[in-house]
Amino acid sequence: MKKLFVANWKSNKNREEVEKWMDKFSEFMARQQAADSFNSTVVICPPMPFVELVSKKMKDESVFKNVFLGVQDMSQFPAGSYTGAVSARNLEGFNVQYAIIGHSERRKYFHETHQEIANKIDQCLENSIQPIMCIDADQMHEQFSHLADDVKKKTTVAYEPIKYIGGTETQPADEAVRVIREIIDRYSPKQVIYGGSVNPDSIAPFLHHDEVAGFLIGGASLKAESFGEIIIN
Ligand code: PGA
């Protein structure tokens, strides 16, 4: 089954590092294409200031055929007087196709509410951007409760057990898959991906589960080499 691999760089990297990453990744993708060995969908979510740069690189290079651009957050408001917020309109022209919404770090450090997250998802869907809503097992019900059924159906969910974020070991795959099945049964989202310490060594037990549509990858996406090793699975 074709999996979705989403790189979340969070607030890491400066311009030079982004350029280097893109160059390395482009070489990697060229090798995959030459070997005809690549069968995944990849999304790169850089910090906002680098959206234009990454977008341009992707447009210029044919090796980025199954690679798409995403953002790590988006305004809950349309274009207008909302100082500091990045609206869907601001992103027009960069070919942004995905947005991570309601990451646990946004909920924790920026105090985002369930309603704000639901508004952001509406903004995404109104602007043809695929929302990837992050949720945790403990608060799952509240996190879904602000979404209409038709919105749930169109939303990709990233199940991210908070205590496994930013480490080296994932939640045991059988436990994670149990939660993912529950999410699918109760809320019928578009698809569910797993996030939390996914790296080239930890990913294997998840790969043969069809319920796991892909992965949200933080730390291990910061180096093009380790991200490359993950996405060839
Ligand atoms: P991690 O981060 O891969 O470093 O655990 C995942 C995330 O927070 O999206």
Side-chain angles (χ1 to χ4, degrees), residues 8 10 103 160 164-166 196-198 216-219:
N8 176 13
K10 309 192 178 181
H103 191 282
E160 295 216 305
Y164 291 97
I165 291 177
S197 302
V198 173
L216 180 52
I217 303 135

Side-chain angles (χ1 to χ4, degrees), residues 68-86:
F68 301 95
L69 178 58
V71 287
Q72 300 172 15
D73 179 39
M74 211 181 70
S75 176
Q76 63 166 320
F77 300 111
S81 301
Y82 305 101
T83 302
V86 176

Side-chain angles (χ1 to χ4, degrees), residues 133-151:
M133 180 179 77
C134 300
I135 63 130
D136 181 29
D138 296 345
Q139 288 209 37
M140 189 154 82
H141 190 64
E142 291 77 9
Q143 288 166 335
F144 276 106
S145 66
H146 291 253
L147 306 189
D149 284 345
D150 63 321
V151 170

Side-chain angles (χ1 to χ4, degrees), residues 9 12-22 222:
W9 292 347
N12 295 292
K13 299 194 183 298
N14 61 20
R15 189 176 183 88
E16 198 188 328
E17 288 162 344
V18 171
E19 275 173 356
K20 278 198 183 129
W21 193 101
M22 291 302 291
L222 293 176

Side-chain angles (χ1 to χ4, degrees), residues 10-200:
K10 309 192 178 181
S11 297
N12 295 292
K13 299 194 183 298
N14 61 20
R15 189 176 183 88
E16 198 188 328
E17 288 162 344
V18 171
E19 275 173 356
K20 278 198 183 129
W21 193 101
M22 291 302 291
D23 289 346
K24 275 204 184 129
F25 191 61
S26 150
E27 285 163 22
F28 169 84
M29 290 300 291
R31 285 198 298 278
Q32 298 311 311
Q33 282 195 5
D36 202 15
S37 58
F38 190 71
N39 183 34
S40 308
T41 303
V42 173
V43 180
I44 300 172
C45 302
M48 276 311 174
F50 307 124
V51 161
E52 181 165 19
L53 190 161
V54 173
S55 172
K56 192 168 177 317
K57 291 248 182 205
M58 283 180 180
K59 234 181 248 163
D60 288 350
E61 297 190 42
S62 60
V63 289
F64 291 130
K65 217 174 65 198
N66 290 314
V67 184
F68 301 95
L69 178 58
V71 287
Q72 300 172 15
D73 179 39
M74 211 181 70
S75 176
Q76 63 166 320
F77 300 111
S81 301
Y82 305 101
T83 302
V86 176
S87 67
R89 176 151 182 95
N90 302 146
L91 297 170
E92 277 175 19
F94 298 122
N95 212 13
V96 170
Q97 305 210 20
Y98 292 80
I100 300 170
I101 299 293
H103 191 282
S104 58
E105 289 151 13
R106 303 263 348 145
R107 296 179 194 263
K108 179 176 172 190
Y109 299 117
F110 302 91
H111 309 289
E112 283 188 5
T113 66
H114 301 316
Q115 188 55 54
E116 283 163 358
I117 289 163
N119 297 345
K120 289 179 178 196
I121 290 174
D122 286 343
Q123 280 298 312
C124 286
L125 294 173
E126 279 168 27
N127 291 282
S128 305
I129 292 174
Q130 172 60 221
I132 303 172
M133 180 179 77
C134 300
I135 63 130
D136 181 29
D138 296 345
Q139 288 209 37
M140 189 154 82
H141 190 64
E142 291 77 9
Q143 288 166 335
F144 276 106
S145 66
H146 291 253
L147 306 189
D149 284 345
D150 63 321
V151 170
K152 282 178 207 154
K153 277 198 184 66
K154 294 177 192 155
T155 298
T156 292
V157 168
Y159 165 55
E160 295 216 305
I162 292 173
K163 69 176 183 191
Y164 291 97
I165 291 177
T168 52
E169 280 183 30
T170 64
Q171 182 175 28
D174 55 339
E175 279 176 31
V177 170
R178 210 176 313 127
V179 180
I180 287 172
R181 275 198 200 120
E182 192 186 334
I183 295 168
I184 294 169
D185 290 348
R186 290 174 73 173
Y187 307 106
S188 308
K190 185 179 161 109
Q191 59 189 349
V192 185
I193 63 176
Y194 170 84
S197 302
V198 173
N199 61 47

